[in-house]
Amino acid sequence: QFRTGIHRLPVSQSRLYEGGGGVDDSCKMCNNGDKCDEFHTLFICKFFEEHRKRYLKKKYYVRPNILKMYSLFHSSQKQITSLAKFVRYIMSKF
């Protein structure tokens, strides 16, 4: 669900409505004004920093980019399991 965009993050609500029509999709967790999408919650949001360090390898969240996100989603079974635990924690907050 997280990879396909079928979740409760604010950005999915703005995607549902044509052009985002007045839906605020900024991150309420860290209040820095960034769009609260999958990339932001996995790699950037300060609210999830402690859990990010617990569940992801350092190489993924230091200087994050789309290629690292792709690599993370196509990594070993052990890392995918840790990622699933991290995503479950993220989803529990929305």
Side-chain angles (χ1 to χ4, degrees):
Q1 291 176 341
F2 193 78
R3 288 177 63 183
T4 60
I6 304 170
H7 47 63
R8 296 181 305 267
L9 293 178
V11 73
S12 68
Q13 296 300 314
S14 68
R15 289 176 186 158
L16 285 175
Y17 303 105
E18 191 172 322
V23 177
D24 182 20
D25 60 0
S26 61
C27 185
K28 304 294 187 274
M29 301 299 205
C30 62
N31 293 318
N32 69 354
D34 286 350
K35 182 185 272 190
C36 189
D37 60 3
E38 298 85 356
F39 186 83
H40 174 78
T41 55
L42 279 177
F43 300 110
I44 299 171
C45 188
K46 296 291 184 190
F47 183 82
F48 299 112
E49 189 169 8
E50 180 183 328
H51 284 81
R52 182 180 302 118
K53 289 177 180 178
R54 180 182 306 161
Y55 291 118
L56 301 181
K57 291 181 180 178
K58 188 175 183 177
K59 70 179 184 177
Y60 293 116
Y61 61 82
V62 172
R63 297 179 58 191
N65 58 49
I66 297 299
L67 295 175
K68 288 183 180 182
M69 184 175 180
Y70 179 84
S71 175
L72 175 62
F73 285 169
H74 294 88
S75 58
S76 69
Q77 183 66 37
K78 183 178 179 182
Q79 185 61 53
I80 292 290
T81 303
S82 293
L83 173 62
K85 291 175 184 177
F86 182 38
V87 169
R88 186 176 355 169
Y89 176 76
I90 291 171
M91 299 309 338
S92 73
K93 300 301 178 186
F94 290 96

